[in-house]
């Protein structure tokens, strides 16, 4: 559950009523997590706490958003919470994979926190295997969205105005019967479970995802965060371009560069 930081960790820092919670799913290419990195770095969000859970692989590392030597030695763990009150935005960044069979307990704990904190809505950034698309999903944009019924009532019209494409349901038994359709997000990690649980619990949730393949997924992250920005307008611009987002210092290590001296 949420644990406030000691510095500035007063009651105000954990008052999230009416805020939007933005978070990634640990999914193919880590696209959601990379997109979240861009949001935190660009908006210079303040770390306000941690999300304590035994469902994620433990990890610790240097500050991924270091801007100077003074703050480069701050430690980060597997699930941290950042806030930007001026935009009524809270971000949960997840940095490690899930422990086997721990998807459901994590979703239950997360949604319990969402309800107790009275978040206005949740936005999940995710991805799905490009090679497992059906014929319909091969057409047009590789970006898709999902809305729970409670959120559909409020922003469904806006999505139509943005000309966004809703995630298609696919045949439950392809090649045998096309009558029964199901939501299928291969490579999406907790995305489907989190979405279906939110539907049943009346939580306003949106899922934004991109079809992609494993590899250099930085372009996918830029595409997904620009997609998010079309809706939430986190940064003001007439045309979304990759150059508007601030790349965090930790991205220098994405492809095996040497470890930072501050780590030692």
């Amino acid at each position: 559950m949420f644990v406030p930081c000691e510095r500035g960790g007063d009651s105000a820092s954990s008052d999230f009523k009416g805020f939007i919670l933005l978070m990634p799913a640990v999914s193919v290419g880590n696209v959601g997590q990379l997109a979240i990195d861009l949001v935190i770095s660009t908006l210079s969000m303040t770390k306000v706490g941690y999300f304590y859970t035994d469902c994620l692989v433990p990890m610790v590392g240097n500050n991924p958003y270091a801007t100077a030597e003074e703050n480069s030695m701050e430690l980060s763990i597997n699930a941290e919470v950042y806030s930007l009150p001026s935009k009524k935005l809270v971000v949960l960044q997840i940095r490690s994979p899930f422990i086997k069979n721990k998807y459901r307990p994590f979703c239950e704990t997360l949604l319990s926190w969402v309800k107790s904190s009275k978040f206005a809505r949740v936005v999940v950034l995710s991805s799905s295997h490009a090679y497992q698309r059906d014929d319909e999903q091969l057409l047009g944009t590789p970006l898709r969205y999902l809305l729970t019924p409670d959120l559909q009532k409020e922003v469904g019209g806006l999505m139509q105005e943005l000309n966004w494409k809703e995630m298609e349901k696919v045949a439950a038994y392809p090649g045998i019967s096309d009558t029964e359709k199901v939501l299928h997000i291969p490579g999406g990690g907790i995305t489907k479970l989190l979405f279906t649980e939110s539907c049943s619990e009346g939580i306003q949730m949106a899922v934004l995802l991109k079809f992609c393949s494993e590899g250099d997924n930085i372009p996918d992250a830029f595409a997904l965060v620009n997609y998010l920005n079309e809706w939430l307008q986190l940064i003001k611009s007439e045309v979304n371009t990759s150059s508007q987002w601030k790349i965090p210092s930790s991205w220098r290590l994405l492809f095996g560069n040497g470890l930072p001296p501050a780590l030692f």
Side-chain angles (χ1 to χ4, degrees):
M1 197 59 91
F2 177 71
V3 179
C5 288
E6 288 185 9
R7 65 170 189 274
D10 56 16
S11 59
S13 71
S14 56
D15 181 11
F16 302 138
K17 183 179 180 180
F19 280 54
I20 293 174
L21 174 63
L22 178 65
M23 62 171 287
V26 182
S27 52
V28 56
N30 304 111
V31 176
Q33 294 155 292
L34 292 171
I36 292 292
D37 269 351
L38 291 170
V39 171
I40 295 171
S41 181
T42 302
L43 299 180
S44 300
M45 298 184 73
T46 301
K47 182 162 66 175
V48 294
Y50 310 89
F51 195 78
Y52 179 76
T53 174
D54 62 355
C55 300
L56 295 167
V57 173
M59 63 135 301
V60 66
N62 279 70
N63 179 7
Y65 312 114
T67 55
E69 186 175 351
E70 290 74 26
N71 64 3
S72 65
M73 289 180 282
E74 293 179 6
L75 295 181
S76 293
I77 61 170
N78 54 9
E80 296 184 322
V81 179
Y82 298 78
S83 178
L84 188 63
S86 63
K87 290 187 178 291
K88 292 285 228 178
L89 181 69
V90 169
V91 171
L92 168 63
Q93 176 62 302
I94 300 173
R95 298 195 178 93
S96 69
F98 285 88
I99 294 172
K100 187 177 180 180
N101 299 325
K102 289 287 190 175
Y103 276 18
R104 187 167 293 279
F106 178 83
C107 289
E108 290 173 353
T109 303
L110 176 70
L111 295 182
S112 175
W113 177 52
V114 167
K115 289 188 285 189
S116 65
S117 299
K118 299 182 180 179
F119 284 106
R121 61 188 55 156
V122 183
V123 180
V124 179
L125 302 185
S126 185
S127 52
S128 184
H129 284 301
Y131 74 89
Q132 288 192 249
R133 289 173 290 176
D134 69 2
D135 291 346
E136 187 179 0
Q137 291 171 338
L138 289 168
L139 301 174
T141 176
L143 295 159
R144 295 291 189 276
Y145 78 92
L146 286 165
L147 300 176
T148 58
D150 288 77
L151 187 55
Q152 177 73 39
K153 297 173 185 175
E154 294 197 18
V155 303
L158 175 60
M159 300 311 186
Q160 296 298 320
E161 292 177 18
L162 291 172
N163 201 28
W164 280 14
K165 198 167 185 178
E166 189 172 5
M167 183 68 170
E168 303 88 346
K169 290 187 176 181
V170 300
Y173 307 101
I176 299 174
S177 172
D178 294 330
T179 56
E180 185 179 347
K181 300 279 189 176
V182 295
L183 181 63
H184 187 48
I185 310 177
I190 66 170
T191 305
K192 181 179 176 180
L193 177 61
L194 199 55
F195 179 76
T196 54
E197 289 295 308
S198 296
C199 288
S200 63
E201 295 191 29
I203 292 172
Q204 293 192 16
M205 176 178 286
V207 174
L208 310 186
L209 65 83
K210 187 178 187 298
F211 294 116
C212 67
S213 301
E214 291 280 5
D216 180 359
N217 295 104
I218 290 176
D220 298 307
F222 278 116
L224 187 58
V225 78
N226 283 332
Y227 189 53
L228 170 74
N229 198 55
E230 284 183 44
W231 174 24
L232 296 186
Q233 294 293 297
L234 298 177
I235 57 174
K236 298 295 183 182
S237 63
E238 294 183 3
V239 180
N240 286 319
T241 62
S242 300
S243 61
Q244 295 171 304
W245 299 99
K246 180 182 176 183
I247 296 175
S249 56
S250 57
W251 281 25
R252 290 176 298 174
L253 305 174
L254 282 179
F255 298 104
N257 294 9
L259 294 174
L263 190 61
F264 306 97

